[in-house]
Amino acid sequence: MRSYLKIIAAMLIWSTWGPMIRWLNLPPVVVLFYTSLFAGILVPLVLAVRGGFPPQMFSLKYWHLFVGLALASLVNNITYFYALAHTSVSNAVFTHYTAPIFVAVLAPLLITEHLQKVTLISLPVAVIGMVLIILSNGGLALDSAHMPGIIAGTVSGIAYALIILITRRVGQLSLDQKAVLMLLWITVFATAPAVFAMDYALNTRTFILLLITGIFHSTTAPLMYFSALRRVLAQHAAILGYIEPLAAIPLAFFFLSEVPSLVALFGGLLIILSGYLVVHARLRVEGKSRT
């Protein structure tokens, strides 16, 4: 149960990316670079305080998993940002969050994780809830002008699904800490050329905000999420991932004074219900194992 709470906590932290990006007012690649740089320094300190680096931290075994994770992460970020720029926000968000569907399809093939009955129930409920939230924000735009963004958003959804699946695998191998650290530094080196070539300005305010996101969004949340996937099924983590767009509703209300519609609220309730079904199924399994 604790691992499921870690997933939820990580999603709640990541759900605040939207307001943080607006407050920072910097190109996304710049934000990625600095938050990953700060986190790349902080994570080793956190691991040292926890008791040092595990022996497998310096092993080259399973390097293909880390390369795959890094590539999936880069593709996910690039295509999602492209989708946000070349289609409506509703289109970008909806296509990006097709990831749980791809996880459900690919998990049995890639990590031999059998599809559970609760997934067959909760996943459609979550998708319907997501659709209702999207419809309440203007719906989807499906004309040809939006197709590049829709395609990019779908690719980001596939990449996001691969991130979840690979993270689950490295968690099973107890390589989650190494995965976080390598992912951060690969992101730093991959984004550095673009960042150094761009024209932007940092001030005290933006530096503090970048440091905050480095601490919470790129250090705390990934460490919780990656460690939780040692014990949480990929399909369950994917469904709980809908908490991230769900949390955008109260955030928009409190920070942007956007009042949600009844349709959006009902969609949010369906996502909460899907999460409850997943967590309840886990509690039942734990209860049976104790008896």
Side-chain angles (χ1 to χ4, degrees), residues 143-181:
D143 55 273
S144 58
H146 290 270
M147 286 311 296
I150 291 172
I151 293 170
T154 304
V155 172
S156 77
I158 297 171
Y160 182 23
L162 290 174
I163 290 170
I164 295 171
L165 293 169
I166 297 172
T167 302
R168 168 64 174 164
R169 181 59 181 151
V170 299
Q172 290 173 323
L173 296 168
S174 299
L175 296 169
D176 46 288
Q177 296 173 340
K178 181 177 180 178
V180 171
L181 194 55

PDB file of all heavy atoms in Angstrom, residues 143-181:
ATOM      1  N   ASP A 143      -9.140  18.206 -37.310  1.00  0.00           N
ATOM      2  CA  ASP A 143      -8.886  18.580 -38.698  1.00  0.00           C
ATOM      3  C   ASP A 143      -7.412  18.374 -39.027  1.00  0.00           C
ATOM      4  O   ASP A 143      -6.568  18.172 -38.151  1.00  0.00           O
ATOM      5  CB  ASP A 143      -9.305  20.021 -38.952  1.00  0.00           C
ATOM      6  CG  ASP A 143      -8.647  20.996 -38.001  1.00  0.00           C
ATOM      7  OD1 ASP A 143      -9.193  21.214 -36.895  1.00  0.00           O
ATOM      8  OD2 ASP A 143      -7.581  21.505 -38.353  1.00  0.00           O
ATOM      9  N   SER A 144      -7.103  18.439 -40.330  1.00  0.00           N
ATOM     10  CA  SER A 144      -5.761  18.109 -40.809  1.00  0.00           C
ATOM     11  C   SER A 144      -4.684  19.025 -40.238  1.00  0.00           C
ATOM     12  O   SER A 144      -3.527  18.604 -40.090  1.00  0.00           O
ATOM     13  CB  SER A 144      -5.722  18.182 -42.340  1.00  0.00           C
ATOM     14  OG  SER A 144      -6.094  19.475 -42.784  1.00  0.00           O
ATOM     15  N   ALA A 145      -5.029  20.269 -39.913  1.00  0.00           N
ATOM     16  CA  ALA A 145      -4.035  21.198 -39.372  1.00  0.00           C
ATOM     17  C   ALA A 145      -3.486  20.719 -38.034  1.00  0.00           C
ATOM     18  O   ALA A 145      -2.363  21.063 -37.648  1.00  0.00           O
ATOM     19  CB  ALA A 145      -4.645  22.592 -39.220  1.00  0.00           C
ATOM     20  N   HIS A 146      -4.278  19.917 -37.319  1.00  0.00           N
ATOM     21  CA  HIS A 146      -3.873  19.441 -36.003  1.00  0.00           C
ATOM     22  C   HIS A 146      -3.195  18.072 -36.038  1.00  0.00           C
ATOM     23  O   HIS A 146      -2.709  17.600 -35.013  1.00  0.00           O
ATOM     24  CB  HIS A 146      -5.090  19.367 -35.067  1.00  0.00           C
ATOM     25  CG  HIS A 146      -5.622  20.703 -34.672  1.00  0.00           C
ATOM     26  ND1 HIS A 146      -5.194  21.380 -33.559  1.00  0.00           N
ATOM     27  CD2 HIS A 146      -6.562  21.497 -35.248  1.00  0.00           C
ATOM     28  CE1 HIS A 146      -5.838  22.519 -33.454  1.00  0.00           C
ATOM     29  NE2 HIS A 146      -6.676  22.624 -34.464  1.00  0.00           N
ATOM     30  N   MET A 147      -3.179  17.429 -37.218  1.00  0.00           N
ATOM     31  CA  MET A 147      -2.664  16.061 -37.298  1.00  0.00           C
ATOM     32  C   MET A 147      -1.204  15.926 -36.870  1.00  0.00           C
ATOM     33  O   MET A 147      -0.862  14.956 -36.157  1.00  0.00           O
ATOM     34  CB  MET A 147      -2.858  15.503 -38.704  1.00  0.00           C
ATOM     35  CG  MET A 147      -4.300  15.127 -39.018  1.00  0.00           C
ATOM     36  SD  MET A 147      -5.089  14.112 -37.732  1.00  0.00           S
ATOM     37  CE  MET A 147      -4.083  12.635 -37.815  1.00  0.00           C
ATOM     38  N   PRO A 148      -0.282  16.828 -37.255  1.00  0.00           N
ATOM     39  CA  PRO A 148       1.100  16.678 -36.771  1.00  0.00           C
ATOM     40  C   PRO A 148       1.183  16.654 -35.253  1.00  0.00           C
ATOM     41  O   PRO A 148       1.924  15.855 -34.672  1.00  0.00           O
ATOM     42  CB  PRO A 148       1.814  17.899 -37.358  1.00  0.00           C
ATOM     43  CG  PRO A 148       1.019  18.250 -38.570  1.00  0.00           C
ATOM     44  CD  PRO A 148      -0.405  17.958 -38.201  1.00  0.00           C
ATOM     45  N   GLY A 149       0.428  17.541 -34.604  1.00  0.00           N
ATOM     46  CA  GLY A 149       0.426  17.571 -33.142  1.00  0.00           C
ATOM     47  C   GLY A 149      -0.207  16.338 -32.542  1.00  0.00           C
ATOM     48  O   GLY A 149       0.265  15.816 -31.511  1.00  0.00           O
ATOM     49  N   ILE A 150      -1.271  15.835 -33.171  1.00  0.00           N
ATOM     50  CA  ILE A 150      -1.935  14.630 -32.675  1.00  0.00           C
ATOM     51  C   ILE A 150      -1.007  13.423 -32.791  1.00  0.00           C
ATOM     52  O   ILE A 150      -0.903  12.604 -31.861  1.00  0.00           O
ATOM     53  CB  ILE A 150      -3.246  14.383 -33.457  1.00  0.00           C
ATOM     54  CG1 ILE A 150      -4.276  15.464 -33.104  1.00  0.00           C
ATOM     55  CG2 ILE A 150      -3.805  12.998 -33.167  1.00  0.00           C
ATOM     56  CD1 ILE A 150      -5.520  15.426 -33.963  1.00  0.00           C
ATOM     57  N   ILE A 151      -0.311  13.318 -33.931  1.00  0.00           N
ATOM     58  CA  ILE A 151       0.634  12.220 -34.118  1.00  0.00           C
ATOM     59  C   ILE A 151       1.763  12.306 -33.083  1.00  0.00           C
ATOM     60  O   ILE A 151       2.141  11.302 -32.459  1.00  0.00           O
ATOM     61  CB  ILE A 151       1.208  12.230 -35.541  1.00  0.00           C
ATOM     62  CG1 ILE A 151       0.105  11.905 -36.549  1.00  0.00           C
ATOM     63  CG2 ILE A 151       2.366  11.232 -35.679  1.00  0.00           C
ATOM     64  CD1 ILE A 151       0.496  12.112 -37.992  1.00  0.00           C
ATOM     65  N   ALA A 152       2.291  13.520 -32.884  1.00  0.00           N
ATOM     66  CA  ALA A 152       3.363  13.714 -31.896  1.00  0.00           C
ATOM     67  C   ALA A 152       2.873  13.367 -30.495  1.00  0.00           C
ATOM     68  O   ALA A 152       3.598  12.729 -29.713  1.00  0.00           O
ATOM     69  CB  ALA A 152       3.866  15.153 -31.934  1.00  0.00           C
ATOM     70  N   GLY A 153       1.646  13.760 -30.170  1.00  0.00           N
ATOM     71  CA  GLY A 153       1.089  13.446 -28.854  1.00  0.00           C
ATOM     72  C   GLY A 153       0.934  11.952 -28.641  1.00  0.00           C
ATOM     73  O   GLY A 153       1.194  11.433 -27.546  1.00  0.00           O
ATOM     74  N   THR A 154       0.530  11.243 -29.698  1.00  0.00           N
ATOM     75  CA  THR A 154       0.396   9.789 -29.607  1.00  0.00           C
ATOM     76  C   THR A 154       1.750   9.127 -29.419  1.00  0.00           C
ATOM     77  O   THR A 154       1.897   8.179 -28.634  1.00  0.00           O
ATOM     78  CB  THR A 154      -0.287   9.239 -30.871  1.00  0.00           C
ATOM     79  OG1 THR A 154      -1.546   9.902 -31.057  1.00  0.00           O
ATOM     80  CG2 THR A 154      -0.526   7.741 -30.746  1.00  0.00           C
ATOM     81  N   VAL A 155       2.766   9.635 -30.151  1.00  0.00           N
ATOM     82  CA  VAL A 155       4.130   9.108 -29.976  1.00  0.00           C
ATOM     83  C   VAL A 155       4.591   9.343 -28.535  1.00  0.00           C
ATOM     84  O   VAL A 155       5.220   8.472 -27.920  1.00  0.00           O
ATOM     85  CB  VAL A 155       5.107   9.771 -30.967  1.00  0.00           C
ATOM     86  CG1 VAL A 155       6.547   9.387 -30.655  1.00  0.00           C
ATOM     87  CG2 VAL A 155       4.751   9.373 -32.398  1.00  0.00           C
ATOM     88  N   SER A 156       4.255  10.514 -27.978  1.00  0.00           N
ATOM     89  CA  SER A 156       4.628  10.789 -26.574  1.00  0.00           C
ATOM     90  C   SER A 156       3.921   9.826 -25.632  1.00  0.00           C
ATOM     91  O   SER A 156       4.489   9.421 -24.608  1.00  0.00           O
ATOM     92  CB  SER A 156       4.305  12.240 -26.205  1.00  0.00           C
ATOM     93  OG  SER A 156       2.927  12.439 -25.970  1.00  0.00           O
ATOM     94  N   GLY A 157       2.689   9.439 -25.975  1.00  0.00           N
ATOM     95  CA  GLY A 157       1.972   8.465 -25.156  1.00  0.00           C
ATOM     96  C   GLY A 157       2.642   7.105 -25.177  1.00  0.00           C
ATOM     97  O   GLY A 157       2.761   6.439 -24.143  1.00  0.00           O
ATOM     98  N   ILE A 158       3.108   6.687 -26.370  1.00  0.00           N
ATOM     99  CA  ILE A 158       3.831   5.412 -26.489  1.00  0.00           C
ATOM    100  C   ILE A 158       5.136   5.473 -25.705  1.00  0.00           C
ATOM    101  O   ILE A 158       5.502   4.535 -24.985  1.00  0.00           O
ATOM    102  CB  ILE A 158       4.100   5.082 -27.968  1.00  0.00           C
ATOM    103  CG1 ILE A 158       2.779   4.887 -28.713  1.00  0.00           C
ATOM    104  CG2 ILE A 158       4.978   3.828 -28.091  1.00  0.00           C
ATOM    105  CD1 ILE A 158       2.929   4.771 -30.221  1.00  0.00           C
ATOM    106  N   ALA A 159       5.852   6.600 -25.837  1.00  0.00           N
ATOM    107  CA  ALA A 159       7.118   6.768 -25.120  1.00  0.00           C
ATOM    108  C   ALA A 159       6.889   6.761 -23.609  1.00  0.00           C
ATOM    109  O   ALA A 159       7.672   6.168 -22.846  1.00  0.00           O
ATOM    110  CB  ALA A 159       7.801   8.065 -25.544  1.00  0.00           C
ATOM    111  N   TYR A 160       5.806   7.410 -23.168  1.00  0.00           N
ATOM    112  CA  TYR A 160       5.467   7.432 -21.736  1.00  0.00           C
ATOM    113  C   TYR A 160       5.185   6.015 -21.247  1.00  0.00           C
ATOM    114  O   TYR A 160       5.606   5.615 -20.152  1.00  0.00           O
ATOM    115  CB  TYR A 160       4.265   8.348 -21.531  1.00  0.00           C
ATOM    116  CG  TYR A 160       3.811   8.527 -20.100  1.00  0.00           C
ATOM    117  CD1 TYR A 160       4.662   8.316 -19.024  1.00  0.00           C
ATOM    118  CD2 TYR A 160       2.507   8.927 -19.814  1.00  0.00           C
ATOM    119  CE1 TYR A 160       4.234   8.488 -17.715  1.00  0.00           C
ATOM    120  CE2 TYR A 160       2.074   9.110 -18.522  1.00  0.00           C
ATOM    121  CZ  TYR A 160       2.931   8.880 -17.474  1.00  0.00           C
ATOM    122  OH  TYR A 160       2.506   9.050 -16.178  1.00  0.00           O
ATOM    123  N   ALA A 161       4.479   5.234 -22.070  1.00  0.00           N
ATOM    124  CA  ALA A 161       4.199   3.844 -21.706  1.00  0.00           C
ATOM    125  C   ALA A 161       5.493   3.049 -21.569  1.00  0.00           C
ATOM    126  O   ALA A 161       5.651   2.251 -20.631  1.00  0.00           O
ATOM    127  CB  ALA A 161       3.298   3.206 -22.768  1.00  0.00           C
ATOM    128  N   LEU A 162       6.433   3.274 -22.487  1.00  0.00           N
ATOM    129  CA  LEU A 162       7.719   2.571 -22.410  1.00  0.00           C
ATOM    130  C   LEU A 162       8.499   2.980 -21.159  1.00  0.00           C
ATOM    131  O   LEU A 162       9.181   2.146 -20.551  1.00  0.00           O
ATOM    132  CB  LEU A 162       8.547   2.862 -23.665  1.00  0.00           C
ATOM    133  CG  LEU A 162       8.023   2.231 -24.964  1.00  0.00           C
ATOM    134  CD1 LEU A 162       8.838   2.707 -26.157  1.00  0.00           C
ATOM    135  CD2 LEU A 162       8.043   0.703 -24.869  1.00  0.00           C
ATOM    136  N   ILE A 163       8.398   4.249 -20.775  1.00  0.00           N
ATOM    137  CA  ILE A 163       9.047   4.706 -19.539  1.00  0.00           C
ATOM    138  C   ILE A 163       8.514   3.908 -18.345  1.00  0.00           C
ATOM    139  O   ILE A 163       9.273   3.425 -17.503  1.00  0.00           O
ATOM    140  CB  ILE A 163       8.820   6.217 -19.316  1.00  0.00           C
ATOM    141  CG1 ILE A 163       9.601   7.024 -20.347  1.00  0.00           C
ATOM    142  CG2 ILE A 163       9.249   6.630 -17.903  1.00  0.00           C
ATOM    143  CD1 ILE A 163       9.257   8.502 -20.348  1.00  0.00           C
ATOM    144  N   ILE A 164       7.185   3.765 -18.274  1.00  0.00           N
ATOM    145  CA  ILE A 164       6.567   3.032 -17.170  1.00  0.00           C
ATOM    146  C   ILE A 164       7.019   1.571 -17.173  1.00  0.00           C
ATOM    147  O   ILE A 164       7.388   1.012 -16.129  1.00  0.00           O
ATOM    148  CB  ILE A 164       5.030   3.116 -17.263  1.00  0.00           C
ATOM    149  CG1 ILE A 164       4.562   4.559 -17.065  1.00  0.00           C
ATOM    150  CG2 ILE A 164       4.371   2.206 -16.212  1.00  0.00           C
ATOM    151  CD1 ILE A 164       3.088   4.773 -17.346  1.00  0.00           C
ATOM    152  N   LEU A 165       7.026   0.945 -18.352  1.00  0.00           N
ATOM    153  CA  LEU A 165       7.378  -0.467 -18.455  1.00  0.00           C
ATOM    154  C   LEU A 165       8.853  -0.705 -18.116  1.00  0.00           C
ATOM    155  O   LEU A 165       9.183  -1.648 -17.382  1.00  0.00           O
ATOM    156  CB  LEU A 165       7.075  -0.973 -19.864  1.00  0.00           C
ATOM    157  CG  LEU A 165       5.590  -1.028 -20.246  1.00  0.00           C
ATOM    158  CD1 LEU A 165       5.430  -1.273 -21.735  1.00  0.00           C
ATOM    159  CD2 LEU A 165       4.863  -2.108 -19.449  1.00  0.00           C
ATOM    160  N   ILE A 166       9.738   0.153 -18.642  1.00  0.00           N
ATOM    161  CA  ILE A 166      11.164  -0.023 -18.365  1.00  0.00           C
ATOM    162  C   ILE A 166      11.455   0.270 -16.895  1.00  0.00           C
ATOM    163  O   ILE A 166      12.264  -0.420 -16.257  1.00  0.00           O
ATOM    164  CB  ILE A 166      12.022   0.882 -19.272  1.00  0.00           C
ATOM    165  CG1 ILE A 166      11.817   0.488 -20.739  1.00  0.00           C
ATOM    166  CG2 ILE A 166      13.505   0.752 -18.919  1.00  0.00           C
ATOM    167  CD1 ILE A 166      12.458   1.445 -21.733  1.00  0.00           C
ATOM    168  N   THR A 167      10.780   1.290 -16.353  1.00  0.00           N
ATOM    169  CA  THR A 167      10.964   1.617 -14.936  1.00  0.00           C
ATOM    170  C   THR A 167      10.522   0.464 -14.050  1.00  0.00           C
ATOM    171  O   THR A 167      11.162   0.160 -13.040  1.00  0.00           O
ATOM    172  CB  THR A 167      10.180   2.888 -14.572  1.00  0.00           C
ATOM    173  OG1 THR A 167      10.612   3.971 -15.399  1.00  0.00           O
ATOM    174  CG2 THR A 167      10.401   3.269 -13.111  1.00  0.00           C
ATOM    175  N   ARG A 168       9.436  -0.177 -14.428  1.00  0.00           N
ATOM    176  CA  ARG A 168       8.978  -1.359 -13.685  1.00  0.00           C
ATOM    177  C   ARG A 168      10.040  -2.452 -13.707  1.00  0.00           C
ATOM    178  O   ARG A 168      10.326  -3.085 -12.696  1.00  0.00           O
ATOM    179  CB  ARG A 168       7.662  -1.861 -14.294  1.00  0.00           C
ATOM    180  CG  ARG A 168       7.209  -3.242 -13.819  1.00  0.00           C
ATOM    181  CD  ARG A 168       6.887  -3.301 -12.357  1.00  0.00           C
ATOM    182  NE  ARG A 168       6.322  -4.587 -12.001  1.00  0.00           N
ATOM    183  CZ  ARG A 168       6.223  -5.060 -10.768  1.00  0.00           C
ATOM    184  NH1 ARG A 168       6.655  -4.337  -9.745  1.00  0.00           N
ATOM    185  NH2 ARG A 168       5.690  -6.230 -10.528  1.00  0.00           N
ATOM    186  N   ARG A 169      10.663  -2.630 -14.886  1.00  0.00           N
ATOM    187  CA  ARG A 169      11.695  -3.667 -15.022  1.00  0.00           C
ATOM    188  C   ARG A 169      12.921  -3.336 -14.180  1.00  0.00           C
ATOM    189  O   ARG A 169      13.451  -4.216 -13.478  1.00  0.00           O
ATOM    190  CB  ARG A 169      12.082  -3.814 -16.497  1.00  0.00           C
ATOM    191  CG  ARG A 169      13.128  -4.891 -16.761  1.00  0.00           C
ATOM    192  CD  ARG A 169      12.669  -6.239 -16.299  1.00  0.00           C
ATOM    193  NE  ARG A 169      13.674  -7.276 -16.526  1.00  0.00           N
ATOM    194  CZ  ARG A 169      13.802  -8.353 -15.772  1.00  0.00           C
ATOM    195  NH1 ARG A 169      12.996  -8.559 -14.737  1.00  0.00           N
ATOM    196  NH2 ARG A 169      14.733  -9.244 -16.040  1.00  0.00           N
ATOM    197  N   VAL A 170      13.409  -2.097 -14.229  1.00  0.00           N
ATOM    198  CA  VAL A 170      14.591  -1.747 -13.433  1.00  0.00           C
ATOM    199  C   VAL A 170      14.261  -1.790 -11.939  1.00  0.00           C
ATOM    200  O   VAL A 170      15.130  -2.090 -11.108  1.00  0.00           O
ATOM    201  CB  VAL A 170      15.172  -0.367 -13.824  1.00  0.00           C
ATOM    202  CG1 VAL A 170      15.616  -0.355 -15.268  1.00  0.00           C
ATOM    203  CG2 VAL A 170      14.199   0.765 -13.542  1.00  0.00           C
ATOM    204  N   GLY A 171      12.993  -1.531 -11.597  1.00  0.00           N
ATOM    205  CA  GLY A 171      12.580  -1.658 -10.207  1.00  0.00           C
ATOM    206  C   GLY A 171      12.634  -3.101  -9.739  1.00  0.00           C
ATOM    207  O   GLY A 171      13.074  -3.388  -8.626  1.00  0.00           O
ATOM    208  N   GLN A 172      12.195  -4.016 -10.607  1.00  0.00           N
ATOM    209  CA  GLN A 172      12.246  -5.434 -10.271  1.00  0.00           C
ATOM    210  C   GLN A 172      13.683  -5.895 -10.052  1.00  0.00           C
ATOM    211  O   GLN A 172      13.941  -6.815  -9.281  1.00  0.00           O
ATOM    212  CB  GLN A 172      11.603  -6.254 -11.391  1.00  0.00           C
ATOM    213  CG  GLN A 172      10.097  -6.091 -11.498  1.00  0.00           C
ATOM    214  CD  GLN A 172       9.546  -6.793 -12.716  1.00  0.00           C
ATOM    215  OE1 GLN A 172      10.158  -6.819 -13.786  1.00  0.00           O
ATOM    216  NE2 GLN A 172       8.366  -7.372 -12.580  1.00  0.00           N
ATOM    217  N   LEU A 173      14.627  -5.251 -10.751  1.00  0.00           N
ATOM    218  CA  LEU A 173      16.047  -5.605 -10.634  1.00  0.00           C
ATOM    219  C   LEU A 173      16.755  -4.787  -9.555  1.00  0.00           C
ATOM    220  O   LEU A 173      17.980  -4.877  -9.414  1.00  0.00           O
ATOM    221  CB  LEU A 173      16.746  -5.380 -11.981  1.00  0.00           C
ATOM    222  CG  LEU A 173      16.268  -6.258 -13.139  1.00  0.00           C
ATOM    223  CD1 LEU A 173      16.820  -5.749 -14.463  1.00  0.00           C
ATOM    224  CD2 LEU A 173      16.666  -7.712 -12.910  1.00  0.00           C
ATOM    225  N   SER A 174      15.986  -3.992  -8.790  1.00  0.00           N
ATOM    226  CA  SER A 174      16.533  -3.119  -7.733  1.00  0.00           C
ATOM    227  C   SER A 174      17.562  -2.135  -8.290  1.00  0.00           C
ATOM    228  O   SER A 174      18.558  -1.810  -7.638  1.00  0.00           O
ATOM    229  CB  SER A 174      17.159  -3.962  -6.604  1.00  0.00           C
ATOM    230  OG  SER A 174      16.190  -4.788  -6.003  1.00  0.00           O
ATOM    231  N   LEU A 175      17.306  -1.650  -9.507  1.00  0.00           N
ATOM    232  CA  LEU A 175      18.205  -0.689 -10.153  1.00  0.00           C
ATOM    233  C   LEU A 175      17.557   0.688 -10.254  1.00  0.00           C
ATOM    234  O   LEU A 175      17.991   1.525 -11.049  1.00  0.00           O
ATOM    235  CB  LEU A 175      18.567  -1.181 -11.560  1.00  0.00           C
ATOM    236  CG  LEU A 175      19.361  -2.488 -11.643  1.00  0.00           C
ATOM    237  CD1 LEU A 175      19.402  -2.993 -13.080  1.00  0.00           C
ATOM    238  CD2 LEU A 175      20.774  -2.297 -11.107  1.00  0.00           C
ATOM    239  N   ASP A 176      16.526   0.929  -9.462  1.00  0.00           N
ATOM    240  CA  ASP A 176      15.762   2.167  -9.594  1.00  0.00           C
ATOM    241  C   ASP A 176      16.594   3.415  -9.286  1.00  0.00           C
ATOM    242  O   ASP A 176      16.474   4.440  -9.955  1.00  0.00           O
ATOM    243  CB  ASP A 176      14.523   2.128  -8.695  1.00  0.00           C
ATOM    244  CG  ASP A 176      14.828   1.636  -7.294  1.00  0.00           C
ATOM    245  OD1 ASP A 176      15.089   0.437  -7.146  1.00  0.00           O
ATOM    246  OD2 ASP A 176      14.812   2.455  -6.354  1.00  0.00           O
ATOM    247  N   GLN A 177      17.464   3.337  -8.269  1.00  0.00           N
ATOM    248  CA  GLN A 177      18.278   4.499  -7.912  1.00  0.00           C
ATOM    249  C   GLN A 177      19.254   4.841  -9.033  1.00  0.00           C
ATOM    250  O   GLN A 177      19.432   6.017  -9.394  1.00  0.00           O
ATOM    251  CB  GLN A 177      19.031   4.229  -6.606  1.00  0.00           C
ATOM    252  CG  GLN A 177      18.105   4.043  -5.410  1.00  0.00           C
ATOM    253  CD  GLN A 177      18.858   3.613  -4.167  1.00  0.00           C
ATOM    254  OE1 GLN A 177      19.975   3.097  -4.241  1.00  0.00           O
ATOM    255  NE2 GLN A 177      18.258   3.816  -3.008  1.00  0.00           N
ATOM    256  N   LYS A 178      19.893   3.818  -9.587  1.00  0.00           N
ATOM    257  CA  LYS A 178      20.815   4.032 -10.698  1.00  0.00           C
ATOM    258  C   LYS A 178      20.071   4.595 -11.905  1.00  0.00           C
ATOM    259  O   LYS A 178      20.588   5.476 -12.612  1.00  0.00           O
ATOM    260  CB  LYS A 178      21.493   2.712 -11.059  1.00  0.00           C
ATOM    261  CG  LYS A 178      22.503   2.828 -12.191  1.00  0.00           C
ATOM    262  CD  LYS A 178      23.194   1.498 -12.436  1.00  0.00           C
ATOM    263  CE  LYS A 178      24.203   1.584 -13.559  1.00  0.00           C
ATOM    264  NZ  LYS A 178      24.912   0.305 -13.789  1.00  0.00           N
ATOM    265  N   ALA A 179      18.858   4.116 -12.144  1.00  0.00           N
ATOM    266  CA  ALA A 179      18.071   4.579 -13.281  1.00  0.00           C
ATOM    267  C   ALA A 179      17.764   6.066 -13.164  1.00  0.00           C
ATOM    268  O   ALA A 179      17.860   6.809 -14.145  1.00  0.00           O
ATOM    269  CB  ALA A 179      16.782   3.771 -13.387  1.00  0.00           C
ATOM    270  N   VAL A 180      17.372   6.501 -11.961  1.00  0.00           N
ATOM    271  CA  VAL A 180      17.072   7.922 -11.745  1.00  0.00           C
ATOM    272  C   VAL A 180      18.299   8.772 -12.052  1.00  0.00           C
ATOM    273  O   VAL A 180      18.230   9.773 -12.774  1.00  0.00           O
ATOM    274  CB  VAL A 180      16.585   8.171 -10.305  1.00  0.00           C
ATOM    275  CG1 VAL A 180      16.479   9.675 -10.031  1.00  0.00           C
ATOM    276  CG2 VAL A 180      15.242   7.506 -10.069  1.00  0.00           C
ATOM    277  N   LEU A 181      19.437   8.377 -11.497  1.00  0.00           N
ATOM    278  CA  LEU A 181      20.654   9.159 -11.653  1.00  0.00           C
ATOM    279  C   LEU A 181      21.110   9.209 -13.111  1.00  0.00           C
ATOM    280  O   LEU A 181      21.467  10.283 -13.630  1.00  0.00           O
ATOM    281  CB  LEU A 181      21.757   8.577 -10.771  1.00  0.00           C
ATOM    282  CG  LEU A 181      23.001   9.447 -10.559  1.00  0.00           C
ATOM    283  CD1 LEU A 181      22.633  10.811 -10.018  1.00  0.00           C
ATOM    284  CD2 LEU A 181      23.981   8.747  -9.625  1.00  0.00           C
TER     285      LEU A 181
END
